[in-house]
Amino acid sequence: MIGLYRPGDSPLHRIPAGVKLVLLLASIVATTVLVRTPPQVLVTGAVVAGLFAVAGIPWRVAVAQLRPLVWMLLIIAVFQVLITSPARAAVVCGLLVVSVALAALFTLTTRVSDLLDAVTRWLGPLRRVGVDPERIGLLLALAIRCVPLLAGIVHDVAEARRARGLEWSMTALVTPVLVRALRTADAMGDALAARGVDDD
């Protein structure tokens, strides 16, 4: 589930995982704070698209990372239009797409093992106060991967809902999404336990 890495020799592939993680977090925070208008969202999106090109990620792969967001974006957009404005809806949805795209780019150009090594190395001194760096690193890797995973669940459930003619039923969307998300979480927990993650 967390093995989305695509081998390559681009500048983004060669950046150390720790540095890349800092850049990812800084980029997401910066876009959230600085991007306020739809034109700024478009410029930011163009920059992110350029980064995918620099990394040599095929456009089909890049689009596949974002496709599951469609239904989630529609729900968020409608909600934002109702309580704020279309411009604000465009900014919120655009920032969500940019953030997920940046996380996907990080995942596609970074080995999970490299990420875990970097986090473990950074948090090593905290072992003295009872912090488990390996567990934190694994939690971070799973969190990054679970964003598109959850979006994929929403997309699949929305497709099934539409096939049943229940396009406008929120119950037909939310309930199955929650059930599938919980089942997926249980399966992930069982898999991690089977591999000795909880062993002392």
Side-chain angles (χ1 to χ4, degrees):
M1 290 180 58
I2 56 179
L4 287 182
Y5 174 73
R6 291 181 65 89
D9 192 36
S10 73
L12 290 178
H13 283 83
R14 294 195 296 269
I15 296 175
V19 175
K20 206 182 308 183
L21 178 59
V22 172
L23 292 174
L24 169 65
L25 297 177
S27 298
I28 292 176
V29 171
T31 55
T32 302
V33 172
L34 300 177
V35 176
R36 296 297 182 185
T37 65
Q40 291 175 336
V41 171
L42 291 176
V43 172
T44 305
V47 171
V48 174
L51 291 176
F52 273 90
V54 170
I57 304 298
W59 68 271
R60 292 181 184 275
V61 175
V63 171
Q65 306 304 308
L66 302 175
R67 189 180 300 122
L69 283 175
V70 172
W71 287 104
M72 186 183 299
L73 288 173
L74 287 176
I75 295 172
I76 294 174
V78 170
F79 182 73
Q80 287 292 324
V81 168
L82 291 176
I83 65 172
T84 56
S85 67
R88 181 58 184 167
V91 171
V92 170
C93 293
L95 288 177
L96 177 59
V97 170
V98 167
S99 298
V100 172
L102 287 171
L105 182 61
F106 176 86
T107 304
L108 290 166
T109 60
T110 309
R111 291 183 177 88
V112 173
S113 58
D114 293 340
L115 172 62
L116 296 179
D117 290 343
V119 173
T120 300
R121 187 167 56 252
W122 286 354
L123 299 180
L126 295 181
R127 292 181 192 276
R128 300 172 184 174
V129 294
V131 175
D132 185 351
E134 287 82 6
R135 182 165 297 186
I136 293 177
L138 180 60
L139 177 63
L140 180 60
L142 289 174
I144 291 174
R145 177 61 190 105
C146 283
V147 172
L149 175 64
L150 181 59
I153 290 175
V154 172
H155 175 266
D156 292 343
V157 171
E159 289 292 319
R161 180 184 65 166
R162 184 168 59 180
R164 295 196 304 269
L166 300 173
E167 289 186 68
W168 303 106
S169 173
M170 289 303 296
T171 301
L173 176 67
V174 175
T175 302
V177 165
L178 288 176
V179 170
R180 287 188 58 180
L182 291 174
R183 286 179 178 173
T184 301
D186 284 341
M188 291 174 63
D190 291 342
L192 292 171
R195 287 161 176 76
V197 172
D198 278 337
D199 294 344
D200 294 325

